[in-house]
Amino acid sequence: MAVREVAGIDGTSLVYRAFGSETAPVLVLLHGWAQSSRCWGDGVLDALARDFRVVAVDLRGHGYSQAPETGYADRKLWAGDLAAVLAAENVSGTNPAVLLGWSYGGLVICDYLAEHGAEAVAGLVLVGAITSIGRGEKGGRVGASMRAAIPAAMSEDPKEAVRALGSFGNALTGPVEDSALLEGKGAVSQALFGASLSTPPRVRAALFDRAVGNDDLLAGLDVPVLLLHGDADSVVDVSAAHHAASLLRRATTSIWEGVDHGPFVEDPDRFASEVGEFARAATAEAATREDRQQGSMEG
């Protein structure tokens, strides 16, 4: 594993971790609201790193990345953050990456696509993701756990925040019962809760202080997209995935029965298998397309 740092277009320090071969196809993982790159778990990262150069990013304001005072409503900054990471990993039109966004990470991917297009993108994976945000946006419909956590989850009052984030955290793992505790799920739940609590309250609040729709952007995309969502997701309603599927030209939908907001926590082996299969196909297709274009130019 390599820990690297790049600067966003406003100078914000962004930290990410890279796993796997330097020459493998790139798979970029973007976490959700009030989380960090550690949310994925070592098992998922190790499994995906067998075939890919896995790049797990700490979004601005989260994890080890810098938390500037302002700018969280500016899509140019979010887009610039991802563009800086891709440039550092030599991602380009001739070496495209698969981008995976969980929850709020899906919105960050849309920010990037809106500003930079999909030339350097082999495919997308949207996991329990929002693609828009704001009142009435079908691509950003939240579930009961998210609604219940707001606004207390943004509070600077420790008692309010701990109570709200603790309740919200259960949605990331699904029910933590005795049998699950024996399997280490309780420890994972605590780690995710800790990441939420360590995200500054002002950042937690600022990420929701924006409104943007991306329906037209999704309708115009011509890359393969995997929509992976739990049908019991209480943070981002599963209707957000169905809405995206209705717009996208090349969508594959995987709806997990009885699963809440963290499918990679509830079944990491299945998650790594489905994501890996999709990403391999997407990168192979992109390579074939590049070979054809190269041959046409030479001809």
Side-chain angles (χ1 to χ4, degrees):
M1 179 194 74
V3 178
R4 294 178 175 170
E5 181 180 12
V6 294
I9 58 176
D10 63 342
T12 295
S13 170
L14 306 164
V15 175
Y16 67 92
R17 297 180 296 148
F19 306 78
S21 171
E22 294 277 359
T23 61
V26 177
L27 171 62
V28 180
L29 308 183
L30 302 178
H31 63 79
W33 175 81
Q35 279 301 310
S36 78
S37 64
R38 297 194 176 275
C39 70
W40 308 107
D42 293 342
V44 167
L45 294 172
D46 289 344
L48 293 173
R50 294 181 192 127
D51 295 314
F52 300 96
R53 177 69 171 169
V54 179
V55 175
V57 182
D58 280 347
L59 298 178
R60 61 172 51 223
H62 298 75
Y64 288 104
S65 290
Q66 190 177 354
E69 292 296 325
T70 60
Y72 297 97
D74 189 342
R75 82 178 316 166
K76 291 183 182 297
L77 295 181
W78 289 110
D81 290 351
L82 182 49
V85 172
L86 296 181
E89 291 299 313
N90 299 312
V91 172
S92 65
T94 57
N95 182 38
V98 172
L99 308 181
L100 184 154
W102 171 46
S103 198
Y104 202 93
L107 186 63
V108 176
I109 287 175
C110 289
D111 290 334
Y112 170 82
L113 293 172
E115 294 294 322
H116 298 278
E119 181 182 359
V121 178
L124 306 177
V125 183
L126 300 176
V127 182
I130 61 171
T131 54
S132 297
I133 191 169
R135 186 177 298 276
E137 291 289 349
K138 295 180 180 179
R141 185 179 177 188
V142 299
S145 292
M146 190 76 249
R147 289 194 299 271
I150 297 173
M154 289 79 158
S155 176
E156 292 191 4
D157 183 328
K159 291 181 180 179
E160 287 189 15
V162 166
R163 184 164 52 248
L165 290 170
S167 175
F168 171 82
N170 291 335
L172 305 184
T173 60
V176 181
E177 301 170 349
D178 290 344
S179 60
L181 287 170
L182 293 176
E183 297 168 3
K185 198 172 182 183
V188 173
S189 180
Q190 291 184 51
L192 294 173
F193 171 67
S196 295
L197 196 59
S198 66
T199 305
R202 60 181 175 79
V203 174
R204 291 182 233 142
L207 264 65
F208 282 93
D209 190 22
R210 63 187 302 210
V212 59
N214 288 305
D215 286 3
D216 290 344
L217 183 151
L218 295 183
L221 279 179
D222 193 25
V223 297
V225 181
L226 172 63
L227 298 163
L228 197 160
H229 215 113
D231 70 358
D233 194 327
S234 61
V235 176
V236 177
D237 193 85
V238 69
S239 65
H242 293 309
H243 178 67
S246 74
L247 298 169
L248 291 161
R249 300 179 188 178
R250 304 183 58 195
T252 299
T253 304
S254 178
I255 305 298
W256 290 18
E257 184 177 358
V259 170
D260 209 316
H261 194 51
F264 50 88
V265 176
E266 296 207 41
D267 194 338
D269 291 339
R270 179 184 176 187
F271 181 82
S273 177
E274 288 194 11
V275 170
E277 181 179 0
F278 171 83
R280 283 189 293 272
T283 53
E285 177 187 313
T288 299
R289 184 168 60 247
E290 176 63 22
D291 288 343
R292 289 174 179 169
Q293 292 174 348
Q294 190 66 29
S296 177
M297 292 174 60
E298 292 175 355

